[in-house]
């Protein structure tokens, strides 16, 4: 049986063999820790006839809740990756083979025949039905079934899905297409899905994933997430969302001077644990101005034994001293540079090895972006919120300093 990280590695290897971007794999650690702090609505499907519910679409709810079931999720882009119909989404789960067979493949040939056509409802049985058809699956794995949205002349999205059992791994693939006029139109997608499944099975069976041991880090993603959930923010509010992972990368980032870039910052922090969280905004005060906007928080725990120069110290020195700062702004597939305007610098009331507090105008937000951070040992805390000139910046800074001091105290650094 494979762990989350081993399944992630299988997916990485498959994508690499196809010459695709390794970032097409979703980090399962991030997904699990995020689910712990803000559970997402559970997907619920009802089939009619009810016996056809065994041919359910792939959902990650069970994997998120059950730590004994390993999982990983990725995407294979087909052409223009910005168009949903040009992507095949795949999910890998791993557990004892009998358990997988019972959970995802518990059907007979007679049931396949009876469920040649059935309706699936998202939620209760009185919701809008999705007419589905079982079609002949490609020859892949030990057992497989394929589901296709019933073709029609109307231009409407249709789903195409394939589920495959291969030993201790269950593979699910899904693609939504703008329209489907015949079953023959679904065949190219099913063939592509079968190719993805075969590549994943080959990587898992012929090239067992070599997962490097976790870095010698004082805090795991789950430990940092738990720590963050103990922290109170302004108005006594607690974090409503947090997710964590280990930053992967093979070479240090080139942190250009006077440039705020999380891309190169993360590259320099490779093998560190990072957790993101958010304190929700307060309701508006009687004067109509919010007491505080949402506050983002990022905790970074560097590997044990990390020594100077620290990437955070380079960032803090630039933010304290550079007369002008440009920020690397990322979109879906490109990045650009944006110049910060009207920079203000402040003193942060924390005991730390290095710290900064800075604000710059964001006219499109109608407010100033206020950033603060501090490092003590191998633990870094960075915060962000918004501030308007009609409010005293000291109040915001005191709130941020209080959060940072709590984190350092509870982490014991």
């Amino acid at each position: 049986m494979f762990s989350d990280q081993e399944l992630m590695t299988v997916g990485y290897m498959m994508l690499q063999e196809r010459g695709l971007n390794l970032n097409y794999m979703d980090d399962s650690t991030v997904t699990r820790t995020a689910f712990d702090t803000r559970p997402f609505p559970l997907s619920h499907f009802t089939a009619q006839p009810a016996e056809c519910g065994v041919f359910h679409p792939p959902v990650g709810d069970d994997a998120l809740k059950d730590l004994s079931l390993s999982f990983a999720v990725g995407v294979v882009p087909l052409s223009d990756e910005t168009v949903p119909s040009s992507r095949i989404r795949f999910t890998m789960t791993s557990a004892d083979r009998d358990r997988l067979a019972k959970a995802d493949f518990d059907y007979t040939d007679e049931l396949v025949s009876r469920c040649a056509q059935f309706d699936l409802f998202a939620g209760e049985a009185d919701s809008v039905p999705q007419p589905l058809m079982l079609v002949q699956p490609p020859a892949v794995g030990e057992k497989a079934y394929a589901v296709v949205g019933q073709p029609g002349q109307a231009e409407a999205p249709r789903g195409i899905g394939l589920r495959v059992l291969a030993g201790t791994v269950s593979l699910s693939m899904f693609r939504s297409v703008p329209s489907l006029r015949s079953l023959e139109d679904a065949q190219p997608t099913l063939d592509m899905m079968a190719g993805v499944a075969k590549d994943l099975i080959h990587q898992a069976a012929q090239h067992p994933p070599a997962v490097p041991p976790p870095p010698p880090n004082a805090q795991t993603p789950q430990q940092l997430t738990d720590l963050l959930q103990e922290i109170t923010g302004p108005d006594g509010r607690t974090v409503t969302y947090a997710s964590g992972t280990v930053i992967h990368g093979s070479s240090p980032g080139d942190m250009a001077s006077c440039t705020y870039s999380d891309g190169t910052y993360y590259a320099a922090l490779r093998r560190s644990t990072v957790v993101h969280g958010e304190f929700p905004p307060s309701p508006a005060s009687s004067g109509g101005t919010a007491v505080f906007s949402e506050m983002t928080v990022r905790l970074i725990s560097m590997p044990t034994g990390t020594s100077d120069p620290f990437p955070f110290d380079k960032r803090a020195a630039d933010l304290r001293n550079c007369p002008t700062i440009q920020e690397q702004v990322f979109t879906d597939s490109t990045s650009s540079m944006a110049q910060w305007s009207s920079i203000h610098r402040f003193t942060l009331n924390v005991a730390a090895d290095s710290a900064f507090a800075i604000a710059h105008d964001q006219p499109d937000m109608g407010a100033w972006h206020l950033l603060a951070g501090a490092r003590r040992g191998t633990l870094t805390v960075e915060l962000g919120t918004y501030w308007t000139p009609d409010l005293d910046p000291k109040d915001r800074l005191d709130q941020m300093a209080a959060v940072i001091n709590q984190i350092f105290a509870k982490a014991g650094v």
Side-chain angles (χ1 to χ4, degrees), residues 255-261 311-326 340 343 345 354-356 358:
M255 296 179 64
S257 295
C258 303
T259 297
Y260 188 93
S261 169
F312 174 84
D313 293 11
K314 162 63 176 166
R315 164 167 283 189
D318 280 355
L319 295 179
R320 288 194 304 263
N321 303 320
C322 287
T324 60
I325 296 172
Q326 59 180 354
W340 286 7
I343 295 174
R345 293 178 170 88
S354 180
F356 70 84
I358 188 171

Side-chain angles (χ1 to χ4, degrees), residues 338-355:
Q339 196 77 20
W340 286 7
S341 61
S342 304
I343 295 174
H344 286 255
R345 293 178 170 88
F346 308 98
T347 299
L348 191 63
N349 186 25
V350 296
D353 299 323
S354 180

Side-chain angles (χ1 to χ4, degrees), residues 34 47 74 87 101 146 203 208 241 250 262 326 328 334 367 369 380 391 399:
R87 303 177 181 184
Q203 292 293 352
Y241 172 81
S250 57
D262 273 347
Q326 59 180 354
Q328 187 175 22
T334 61
H369 195 192
T380 297
L391 298 174
Q399 293 166 353

Side-chain angles (χ1 to χ4, degrees), residues 172-190:
S172 300
M173 274 146 283
F174 178 81
R175 181 189 182 193
S176 178
V177 295
S179 64
L180 200 65
R181 297 190 179 276
S182 69
L183 290 179
E184 287 74 18
D185 292 340
Q187 195 58 49
T189 291
L190 289 173

Side-chain angles (χ1 to χ4, degrees), residues 218-284:
Q219 302 284 346
T220 67
Q222 190 62 58
Q223 287 173 324
L224 275 189
T225 302
D226 293 342
L227 169 64
L228 192 55
Q229 289 181 272
E230 298 176 355
I231 305 302
T232 55
D235 291 350
R237 292 167 184 263
T238 56
V239 168
T240 57
Y241 172 81
S243 64
T245 189
V246 174
I247 301 172
H248 298 283
S250 57
S251 60
D254 180 15
M255 296 179 64
S257 295
C258 303
T259 297
Y260 188 93
S261 169
D262 273 347
T264 55
Y265 184 51
Y266 270 40
L269 286 164
R270 69 195 191 284
R271 297 174 64 81
S272 296
T273 300
V274 59
V275 167
H276 294 267
E278 180 180 294
F279 294 99
S282 65

Side-chain angles (χ1 to χ4, degrees), residues 3-139:
S3 67
D4 283 7
Q5 191 56 52
E6 287 173 332
L7 289 176
M8 290 282 294
T9 302
V10 169
Y12 282 139
M13 293 164 67
M14 182 276 293
L15 292 170
Q16 192 171 42
E17 287 290 322
R18 289 172 168 250
L20 297 173
N21 192 329
L22 301 186
N23 291 330
Y24 289 126
M25 291 296 299
D26 286 348
D27 193 312
S28 52
T29 305
V30 171
T31 309
R32 285 198 194 277
T33 56
F35 186 84
D36 285 343
T37 55
R38 187 172 67 186
F40 308 104
L42 299 181
S43 300
H44 175 65
F45 295 92
T46 303
Q48 197 167 31
E51 63 180 352
C52 300
V54 66
F55 303 107
H56 57 84
V59 293
D61 295 338
D62 292 338
L64 286 173
K65 293 186 297 180
D66 188 351
L67 294 180
S68 68
L69 181 70
S70 303
F71 85 108
V73 178
V75 172
V76 177
L78 304 180
S79 55
D80 180 2
E81 64 186 75
T82 65
V83 179
S85 62
S86 65
R87 303 177 181 184
I88 291 176
R89 187 81 169 169
F90 66 88
T91 301
M92 298 179 284
T93 56
S94 182
D96 178 83
R97 185 195 179 284
D98 290 342
R99 178 183 173 188
L100 290 179
K102 182 70 174 176
D104 296 336
F105 302 89
D106 190 19
Y107 57 85
T108 61
D109 291 341
E110 291 77 11
L111 185 60
V112 171
S113 178
R114 292 198 300 271
C115 294
Q117 297 186 37
F118 65 98
D119 289 334
L120 193 70
F121 300 83
E124 301 304 320
D126 58 355
S127 61
V128 177
Q130 303 175 45
L132 300 178
M133 302 179 66
L134 286 177
V135 299
Q136 182 66 33

Side-chain angles (χ1 to χ4, degrees), residues 274-317:
V274 59
V275 167
H276 294 267
E278 180 180 294
F279 294 99
S282 65
S285 66
S286 58
T289 302
V291 177
F292 78 98
S293 65
E294 70 274 10
M295 183 186 291
T296 60
V297 55
R298 172 166 56 192
L299 275 63
I300 298 172
S301 176
M302 292 178 285
T304 304
T306 301
S307 59
D308 192 40
F310 297 97
F312 174 84
D313 293 11
K314 162 63 176 166
R315 164 167 283 189

